[in-house]
Amino acid sequence: MSLFEELKRRNVFRVGIAYVVTSWLVMQVLEIVLESFGSPAWVMKTVLVILAAGLPFALIFAWAFELTPEGLKKEKDVDRTQSITNQTGRKLDYAIIAILAVALAYFIWESRYASTKGSESMVPASAEETPTGVGEQLTLTPPEKSIAVLPFVNMSSDPEQEYFSDGISEEILNALAQIKDLKVAGRTSSFAFKGQNQDLRQIGETLGVENILEGSVRKSGSKVRITAQLIQVKDGFHLWSDTFDRELDDVFAIQDEIASNILEQLKAHLLEEEQGALVATRANSEAYDLYLLAKQRIYERSRPTLEAAAELLDKAIAIDPDYAPAYAQRGITALLLSDDSYGTIPDEQSKAQAKLYIDQALRLDPGEAEAWAGLGLYFLNTPGKNTETIEALDKALSLNPNLVDASNWLQGAYQLAGRLGESRQVLEQMVQRDPLYRPGIASITSWYVNTNQVDQASALIERIRPAMPNDPFLFLVESEVLYAKAEYAKGLVMAEKALALQPDNNYHKGQVGYALLLTGQFERVVEVSQPWQRVIALMELDRLEEATLVAQQLATSGEDVSTLIGLLVNSGQQAAAVQFIEERWTDLDALEAAFPTLGNSGPGLMLDIAFAYASMGNEQRFNDAMQRFRTAMDAGIELGFSNNFMPLLEAVYATLAGDNETAIRQLSAAVDQGLVLGRKFVSAWAALKSLEGDAEFEAIQARMIEHLNAERAELGLDPVLT
């Protein structure tokens, strides 16, 4: 009898099949049980190893032993004429069929259950849980086809080679970002975990991805070794890993090879049709090395590092005059070195220089995303070029959706165009893709505050807090949310924490100055604040001459004219306000073009102008300004704007329209929502003076002052305005 026939007679094959099927079923049941208990991933791995190790023993056991009517005996001790292996085999067949039936039933149930469970995870359980903003949307189950590329670890003997490992990581990230239906976490967010040993599940939850790519780079002379591993976030399972030893001239091929392997492992089914898109633009290896180093310098955003980047890119271009990415980055660097940005080069000169580099990059490679982004930045600050800005940035993002700076510039361009709905859409997409990008966090928080979605803002802060411990930026954002909750004392404490860590930061000064104004600490405002806040404080301290000087300086620089108009109107100088306006703008169309009515100062500015013209008896201009205010406010309401400042503006509008009853109602609503001004209503808006003496008006003001003094008491300050 042949070995095969003997194995068959002893039921070794049947035992093996039964063992494998039973083991699979056991693993499925255990997965559900262990998941319910929140067991760590290593438990399942251990069980799998034990079951796999048991298979050879089961086969050996089946070969060496036989089940007889008298019990289990060694096969050699059984008389062949008395053997019942045929009967045992049939029983094993029945057992295998039964196990397969159970497995099939489980498979059908599991498929339907998983589908239902997946659907439920994306559908809120109740109306209260319906996500209305990014803060909640980011907590939903991330898409299966999603990945974050963590910065590869520099394993070279020289720590200065870290720019190279960072650059390799970024190039792979950019290659993956070009694949449709694959969510790739942005560079800013992925690189926020550099040098940290955080749990991958925490990183995956923060970034909203299911998979993480990490690795290392060892560069030595003309050779480079890159290791990469793709890890599944939910259980830490390694989907794929590999090591690449190459000459530096092949570094582009490595990037492409790693990206292709990842796509295959993610089963994205996009590799064949998009293989060409993954290949990076080739360059001389020395030029590429300089380019990577320059990019890391650009990210640091300071004059010395940007100047160093410009020199490095000039060297790269000299070595390889056909390398388009180097020209694109050189153009962006020139724009950032403008005296309007981080550098000292006159703005017109820097823009002219930048345009030459950007145009050359696009001549060499019309599909160079960074060049289109640079062109958008070039147009962004050019009067009358907002359409060109949007077109260029749209093109850049269509080529590489992960250009987070381009997204930020685009949402800013939409704001300048008064297209706030589109601005918000871009902003939400930006925060979804790059949840730790600070400008995005700051902007979306402002949206939440302005639309009274404070809970979403708080949820977003809690989500990013683990990645930003003791970070002044987080303190700044949190202070804004606390102000929106009308908790001004607590917000001031947070803002002061941020300022203490970065005492020269103007944003922190502005956030501190805002709370100081609202809590009536005018002397401190003069010391630490933004210029417009200082103007208000000086007015409250009866230092009108100083206030006027500061406001005039702001207006002369072109930085801010609304502060001067507000000062003139609210200090009884309406004629001077009208003169200032008409000397600079032919009509309100021209003025509104300079200050879009949906901007920060737009609606309030129009109320000041309306009051000025009403005081001068110019009914036509008064009606014009009132209509522009109404249009702006209605558009804001349609977009969901809702904070305690809006009913205050509505009260001023109603007063100017002669509707005191509506004005009183709106003021009451503002105070109910926590409005505090740090001063009396008429100090902030002279138009409300007609309401003074009204009992209901005075009662509303008393409630506001009561809240003001409660906030002051929390700060250990004496009451005011009693």
Side-chain angles (χ1 to χ4, degrees), residues 236-495:
F237 185 73
H238 283 57
L239 298 173
W240 164 83
S241 64
D242 209 342
T243 299
F244 304 84
D245 290 299
R246 299 285 194 278
E247 294 291 327
L248 277 176
D249 287 341
D250 291 335
V251 71
F252 300 100
I254 304 173
Q255 294 163 8
D256 189 42
E257 192 172 348
I258 292 173
S260 298
N261 271 285
I262 293 165
L263 293 177
E264 184 177 347
Q265 296 303 321
L266 290 174
K267 299 179 179 179
H269 305 301
L270 298 169
L271 185 58
E272 291 300 321
E273 67 178 89
E274 299 208 28
Q275 175 71 25
L278 294 176
V279 181
T281 305
R282 265 49 177 176
N284 172 282
S285 60
E286 185 179 354
Y288 182 66
D289 192 72
L290 292 166
Y291 165 79
L292 289 183
L293 180 55
K295 283 196 75 173
Q296 304 317 306
R297 296 290 181 267
I298 293 170
Y299 286 127
E300 295 175 36
R301 288 294 201 271
S302 70
R303 184 171 65 83
T305 57
L306 288 167
E307 289 174 346
E311 291 181 14
L312 291 165
L313 290 167
D314 286 341
K315 291 178 182 178
I317 290 169
I319 294 170
D320 190 344
D322 296 326
Y323 189 44
Y327 285 98
Q329 291 298 331
R330 185 64 181 86
I332 291 172
T333 303
L335 291 170
L336 295 175
L337 281 171
S338 160
D339 56 8
D340 279 352
S341 190
Y342 298 93
T344 57
I345 302 173
D347 186 56
E348 288 302 316
Q349 182 181 333
S350 76
K351 291 179 73 171
Q353 186 184 78
K355 189 67 162 55
L356 293 174
Y357 287 115
I358 292 167
D359 287 347
Q360 179 62 11
L362 291 173
R363 275 193 290 270
L364 291 169
D365 183 2
E368 175 55 40
E370 295 272 10
W372 286 104
L375 186 61
L377 180 60
Y378 167 81
F379 284 129
L380 182 62
N381 295 314
T382 303
K385 294 292 185 179
N386 212 41
T387 300
E388 289 84 348
T389 300
I390 292 171
E391 289 175 353
L393 294 172
D394 269 334
K395 176 70 173 179
L397 291 168
S398 71
L399 294 166
N400 184 352
N402 263 40
L403 295 179
V404 67
D405 284 335
S407 292
N408 193 41
W409 299 332
L410 179 58
Q411 68 93 13
Y414 278 134
Q415 282 199 43
L416 288 175
R419 296 160 63 179
L420 293 195
E422 291 162 285
S423 175
R424 175 163 185 165
Q425 184 179 8
V426 172
L427 183 58
E428 288 181 336
Q429 292 170 351
M430 178 172 67
V431 176
Q432 283 276 14
R433 184 176 291 275
D434 210 337
L436 297 181
Y437 179 61
R438 292 166 189 249
I441 295 168
S443 296
I444 201 67
T445 301
S446 293
W447 270 105
Y448 287 146
V449 166
N450 288 328
T451 55
N452 200 25
Q453 299 181 74
V454 182
D455 289 343
Q456 283 85 337
S458 296
L460 179 61
I461 288 172
E462 292 309 312
R463 182 179 181 81
I464 65 177
R465 192 186 298 281
M468 296 183 175
N470 199 37
D471 192 303
F473 173 77
L474 191 64
F475 294 147
L476 182 76
V477 173
E478 196 159 5
S479 70
E480 184 174 1
V481 175
L482 288 167
Y483 295 159
K485 293 180 177 180
E487 298 177 8
Y488 304 108
K490 291 184 176 67
L492 176 57
V493 171
M494 281 293 171

Side-chain angles (χ1 to χ4, degrees), residues 93-267:
D93 288 339
Y94 296 146
I96 291 170
I97 292 170
I99 295 170
L100 286 173
V102 173
L104 179 61
Y106 170 81
F107 177 77
I108 294 171
W109 172 83
E110 194 272 340
S111 298
R112 291 181 178 175
Y113 170 77
S115 175
T116 304
K117 183 178 179 182
S119 299
E120 289 174 351
S121 70
M122 295 299 290
V123 180
S126 65
E128 287 80 16
E129 295 173 8
T130 302
T132 55
V134 173
E136 290 187 33
Q137 288 173 347
L138 290 175
T139 64
L140 296 179
T141 304
E144 182 181 356
K145 293 177 183 178
S146 56
I147 188 171
V149 181
L150 299 186
F152 282 23
V153 178
N154 174 35
M155 300 294 289
S156 306
S157 57
D158 182 6
E160 295 296 322
Q161 292 295 318
E162 191 166 296
Y163 74 89
F164 186 80
S165 56
D166 284 355
I168 294 294
S169 313
E170 187 178 353
E171 292 294 306
I172 295 170
L173 185 155
N174 285 333
L176 292 172
Q178 298 174 51
I179 305 303
K180 62 185 178 183
D181 300 326
L182 177 63
K183 176 190 173 183
V184 183
R187 179 195 184 278
T188 303
S189 297
S190 296
F191 275 55
F193 297 96
K194 183 176 180 179
Q196 299 182 26
N197 190 27
Q198 286 205 27
D199 180 78
L200 291 183
R201 277 177 293 190
Q202 177 65 56
I203 295 175
E205 181 182 341
T206 301
L207 302 184
V209 296
E210 284 284 2
N211 306 282
I212 286 178
L213 178 73
E214 61 179 13
S216 64
V217 177
R218 186 185 298 276
K219 182 183 175 189
S220 179
S222 63
K223 297 184 180 297
V224 63
R225 164 172 288 187
I226 299 177
T227 63
Q229 49 189 3
L230 183 64
I231 303 168
Q232 198 166 267
V233 167
K234 62 183 177 183
D235 55 11
F237 185 73
H238 283 57
L239 298 173
W240 164 83
S241 64
D242 209 342
T243 299
F244 304 84
D245 290 299
R246 299 285 194 278
E247 294 291 327
L248 277 176
D249 287 341
D250 291 335
V251 71
F252 300 100
I254 304 173
Q255 294 163 8
D256 189 42
E257 192 172 348
I258 292 173
S260 298
N261 271 285
I262 293 165
L263 293 177
E264 184 177 347
Q265 296 303 321
L266 290 174
K267 299 179 179 179

